[in-house]
Amino acid sequence: MATSKLPVTEEIRARLDAAFDPRDLTVTDDSAAHAGHAGAPAGGESHFSVRMRSDALAGMSRLARHRAVHDAIGPELMGRIHALALDLAE
């Protein structure tokens, strides 16, 4: 997928919406709290938290849920993210 002009939070949200049709999805840019830390670029958009509730996650182990989210976000976008905290449930 080509690099988008959308903020990373919006890219993450759009990809997770498309993949999981969640009934609850919050994507938060936590980058400001990590400014100056190793791996935190000056422009931000590097540290994110995702809270998602979706029936599509039913029956998956915690590891499988995390892998599914990473796959849905895609390698190009994951490569631009330094840290991703996930709170996932069905």
Side-chain angles (χ1 to χ4, degrees), residues 37-59:
H37 295 180
E45 292 197 309
S46 60
H47 292 69
F48 299 89
S49 298
V50 171
R51 181 183 188 278
M52 183 170 70
R53 302 297 180 257
S54 174
D55 294 335
L57 301 173

Side-chain angles (χ1 to χ4, degrees), residues 22-63:
R23 63 183 174 279
D24 179 39
L25 176 60
T26 305
V27 180
T28 306
D29 184 347
D30 299 321
S31 301
H34 300 277
H37 295 180
E45 292 197 309
S46 60
H47 292 69
F48 299 89
S49 298
V50 171
R51 181 183 188 278
M52 183 170 70
R53 302 297 180 257
S54 174
D55 294 335
L57 301 173
M60 289 185 183
S61 69
R62 180 173 181 251
L63 180 59

Side-chain angles (χ1 to χ4, degrees), residues 1-83:
M1 189 175 280
T3 301
S4 172
K5 299 294 183 194
L6 292 174
V8 174
T9 53
E10 294 303 317
E11 286 188 68
I12 294 169
R13 184 176 291 110
R15 293 177 190 200
L16 296 180
D17 271 333
F20 298 102
D21 189 28
R23 63 183 174 279
D24 179 39
L25 176 60
T26 305
V27 180
T28 306
D29 184 347
D30 299 321
S31 301
H34 300 277
H37 295 180
E45 292 197 309
S46 60
H47 292 69
F48 299 89
S49 298
V50 171
R51 181 183 188 278
M52 183 170 70
R53 302 297 180 257
S54 174
D55 294 335
L57 301 173
M60 289 185 183
S61 69
R62 180 173 181 251
L63 180 59
R65 289 176 184 186
H66 283 239
R67 285 181 176 158
V69 166
H70 283 237
D71 288 345
I73 291 173
E76 182 276 325
L77 183 53
M78 284 303 302
R80 293 169 34 210
I81 297 171
H82 179 71

